[in-house]
Amino acid sequence: MRSIIALPDKRLRQESSPIKCFDDGLKELASEMQAAMLEGPGGVGIAAPQIGEMSSVVLVDCRQTKRPCDNHGLLFLVNPEIISLTGGEVLGREGCLSAPKWTGMVPRTRDIHLRYRNLKGDEQELKSSGFEARVIQHEIDHLHGVLFIDRMISTRDLVRRTP
Ligand code: ZN
């Protein structure tokens, strides 16, 4: 079981590499990510760098959220690439398994259209909106060493989570 790495770990600031082999190792990474996410509080997504694997894989799972959004179920996005971000910016509260004590208000684009590969290596496209689109943007940021605190308009919006 791999544990989640948290700030100020420098790996969270690195660029991830694309997946080239769609093999059993990738499936194992995917299940390790899912297990690590479920250990955290209310996890709706996780990116491979958060368990110390600098690979372009994210998991998004909005099946349990009460926030309004598209819900595509359990999504493993390998080598995700954003095709377009549309619909204007919306402010919303975000947290992160790698900054577990804090939440903050972050502007994100409402709609996202992306291209990615599934765990078998098939090319896929997805359009999403609302909270799920927010989570996808948050997780793709992790692949480029970007954290939600970087996108906040003001760090005065940072709120300490109540235990
Ligand atoms: Zn995060």
Side-chain angles (χ1 to χ4, degrees), residues 50 96 138 142:
Q50 292 181 277
C96 181
H138 176 119
H142 275 297

PDB file of all heavy atoms in Angstrom, residues 50 96 138 142, ligand 1:
ATOM      1  N   GLN A  50       0.765  11.900  -6.742  1.00  0.00           N
ATOM      2  CA  GLN A  50       0.415  11.970  -5.315  1.00  0.00           C
ATOM      3  C   GLN A  50       0.782  10.701  -4.553  1.00  0.00           C
ATOM      4  O   GLN A  50       0.783  10.711  -3.323  1.00  0.00           O
ATOM      5  CB  GLN A  50      -1.082  12.267  -5.142  1.00  0.00           C
ATOM      6  CG  GLN A  50      -1.451  13.665  -5.609  1.00  0.00           C
ATOM      7  CD  GLN A  50      -2.920  13.940  -5.409  1.00  0.00           C
ATOM      8  OE1 GLN A  50      -3.738  13.578  -6.221  1.00  0.00           O
ATOM      9  NE2 GLN A  50      -3.263  14.567  -4.287  1.00  0.00           N
ATOM     10  N   CYS A  96      -7.384  18.990  -1.281  1.00  0.00           N
ATOM     11  CA  CYS A  96      -6.425  18.133  -1.962  1.00  0.00           C
ATOM     12  C   CYS A  96      -5.834  17.153  -0.952  1.00  0.00           C
ATOM     13  O   CYS A  96      -5.488  17.550   0.154  1.00  0.00           O
ATOM     14  CB  CYS A  96      -5.323  18.991  -2.573  1.00  0.00           C
ATOM     15  SG  CYS A  96      -4.091  18.032  -3.467  1.00  0.00           S
ATOM     16  N   HIS A 138      -8.347  19.845 -11.757  1.00  0.00           N
ATOM     17  CA  HIS A 138      -7.479  19.776 -10.575  1.00  0.00           C
ATOM     18  C   HIS A 138      -6.462  18.639 -10.717  1.00  0.00           C
ATOM     19  O   HIS A 138      -5.267  18.820 -10.462  1.00  0.00           O
ATOM     20  CB  HIS A 138      -8.362  19.581  -9.331  1.00  0.00           C
ATOM     21  CG  HIS A 138      -7.633  19.387  -8.034  1.00  0.00           C
ATOM     22  ND1 HIS A 138      -7.769  20.247  -6.957  1.00  0.00           N
ATOM     23  CD2 HIS A 138      -6.766  18.422  -7.630  1.00  0.00           C
ATOM     24  CE1 HIS A 138      -7.002  19.804  -5.953  1.00  0.00           C
ATOM     25  NE2 HIS A 138      -6.388  18.700  -6.335  1.00  0.00           N
ATOM     26  N   HIS A 142      -2.065  18.341 -11.406  1.00  0.00           N
ATOM     27  CA  HIS A 142      -1.042  17.589 -10.665  1.00  0.00           C
ATOM     28  C   HIS A 142       0.020  17.003 -11.592  1.00  0.00           C
ATOM     29  O   HIS A 142       1.175  16.836 -11.202  1.00  0.00           O
ATOM     30  CB  HIS A 142      -1.686  16.435  -9.882  1.00  0.00           C
ATOM     31  CG  HIS A 142      -2.225  16.818  -8.529  1.00  0.00           C
ATOM     32  ND1 HIS A 142      -1.414  17.278  -7.511  1.00  0.00           N
ATOM     33  CD2 HIS A 142      -3.476  16.788  -8.028  1.00  0.00           C
ATOM     34  CE1 HIS A 142      -2.164  17.518  -6.433  1.00  0.00           C
ATOM     35  NE2 HIS A 142      -3.418  17.235  -6.720  1.00  0.00           N
TER      36      HIS A 142
HETATM   37 ZN    ZN B   1      -5.021  17.429  -5.448  1.00  0.00          ZN
END
